[in-house]
Amino acid sequence: MTAALATAPLILDIRLAAVEDLPFVQKCWREEHKLSPHGAGMAWSSYHRLFTPLINEIIARDDTQILCAYGEHDGRADAILGWLAYTPGKLPAVHFAYTRGGKRKQGIFTRLLDASGIGKRFLYTFAGKLPSYSKRNAPSRDKVIVKALVQRGVYGTWLDANEWLEGVR
Amino acid sequence: MKPPREAYVRATVELAGVEVITGVELRPDDSFDELLSLSKLVSLGAYEAARADGRSSNVTRLACYVENALIARFPDRAYFIEVCGGTERDGWVQIFQPWEKS
């Protein structure tokens, strides 16, 4: 019975983030991206100076959409289990995605990506977290996800957030 | 007499073990960053088309798909394409069209 429950698909309510969700989104974004190849090993003060304004600019843009997957977690029925920040349009971009620990590998990111309608080709502007120290030579999470998406006929490629912003400003 | 000066926006895309590099002629009024983004999206589209036709693992054919996509998106521009299907520094396919077709 327990095993059956564990493999049952998650019940998710996918909708745009509410304003009160944005601090959580910003916090996850910074903390996860700090562990990427571009932030790992960097002092937090330097990281904040370099990346916090960039993340805030993207969150504040009118064309940025933040889609959240709400579901049951820790006794709350409407906890954020994952989110996806993206910009549809001529230069479609996925900026960052997050799935709560313990809810990974259950298809939340895929469902968010499908719900976003961003299409089969997109740029992504922030690298993902590196694996743990014992696997430092393994690729960061973004590369693993992009490789897996190819098998589904979805194609993403990295473009630095500053360069993407220059193209859409 | 010197050949004309050339400037390109170089965009690299890595997909499923294949590396595609495109260079598209940069003109004075262009936005470098927009051209970079568009070039990457063109490469993704070409890879998608080649994969749908079962030809994405053949680097020579893939380079032709990318070339056709670049010509369609950026007509009358100089370009170059480099495609590598391995992790080694050899085995590249290169296509150069350095001067504008007239």
Side-chain angles (χ1 to χ4, degrees):
Chain A
M1 186 65 183
T2 308
L5 283 173
T7 55
L10 283 173
I11 297 169
L12 298 175
D13 177 14
I14 294 179
R15 59 181 192 271
L16 290 174
V19 173
E20 57 267 28
D21 295 329
L22 296 183
F24 174 75
V25 167
Q26 190 221 35
K27 174 179 175 288
C28 296
W29 192 330
R30 287 192 306 196
E31 291 186 355
E32 286 278 307
H33 181 252
K34 175 71 176 66
L35 301 172
S36 77
H38 304 133
M42 186 184 286
W44 263 108
S45 55
S46 303
Y47 180 86
H48 281 309
R49 196 170 60 248
L50 278 172
F51 290 107
T52 300
L54 194 57
I55 291 169
N56 289 346
E57 179 177 346
I58 290 176
I59 289 176
R61 283 180 63 87
D62 287 342
D63 56 0
T64 299
Q65 307 281 318
I66 297 171
L67 205 54
C68 288
Y70 299 88
E72 196 280 327
H73 174 70
D74 212 12
R76 280 187 58 197
D78 62 344
I80 297 176
L81 304 186
W83 55 262
L84 178 75
Y86 66 100
T87 303
K90 183 182 170 190
L91 303 176
V94 168
H95 301 297
F96 209 74
Y98 169 81
T99 304
R100 194 183 280 276
K103 301 291 181 186
R104 293 180 182 140
K105 298 189 176 176
Q106 294 181 54
I108 293 177
F109 170 73
T110 304
R111 287 171 66 179
L112 284 166
L113 197 62
D114 289 345
S116 74
I118 201 162
K120 294 166 76 176
R121 301 170 213 156
F122 61 85
L123 307 159
Y124 68 92
T125 57
F126 282 78
K129 185 178 170 181
L130 283 166
S132 61
Y133 282 103
S134 59
K135 298 174 185 167
R136 267 295 185 244
N137 292 327
S140 52
R141 187 170 289 158
D142 55 296
K143 291 188 186 301
V144 174
I145 291 172
V146 161
K147 193 173 175 185
L149 286 176
V150 169
Q151 303 309 314
R152 298 182 59 226
V154 179
Y155 308 92
T157 190
W158 186 72
L159 178 73
D160 181 84
N162 285 299
E163 289 171 330
W164 178 82
L165 276 170
E166 286 298 322
V168 295
R169 273 180 186 138
Chain B
M1 186 176 167
K2 288 195 281 187
R5 173 183 172 277
E6 296 169 51
Y8 294 87
V9 172
R10 191 174 192 269
T12 304
V13 167
E14 287 181 56
L15 279 165
V18 177
E19 190 171 350
V20 177
I21 298 172
T22 56
V24 174
E25 180 191 351
L26 180 67
R27 293 180 177 173
D29 294 334
D30 285 338
S31 157
F32 177 94
D33 296 285
E34 186 176 358
L35 206 52
L36 177 65
S37 303
L38 291 172
S39 299
K40 289 192 169 211
L41 290 170
V42 165
S43 292
L44 293 183
Y47 184 89
E48 181 187 358
R51 189 168 181 271
D53 293 344
R55 289 175 172 167
S56 58
S57 58
N58 181 320
V59 290
T60 308
R61 288 189 182 277
L62 178 57
C64 293
Y65 275 79
V66 176
E67 182 178 25
N68 290 340
L70 273 187
I71 291 169
R73 184 63 185 79
F74 305 107
D76 300 324
R77 290 206 188 214
Y79 58 84
F80 66 82
I81 297 152
E82 299 177 354
V83 180
C84 184
T87 54
E88 300 296 327
R89 294 288 93 192
D90 54 7
W92 288 82
V93 170
Q94 299 177 314
I95 297 173
F96 292 92
Q97 177 57 60
W99 289 289
E100 187 177 328
K101 288 174 182 171
S102 56

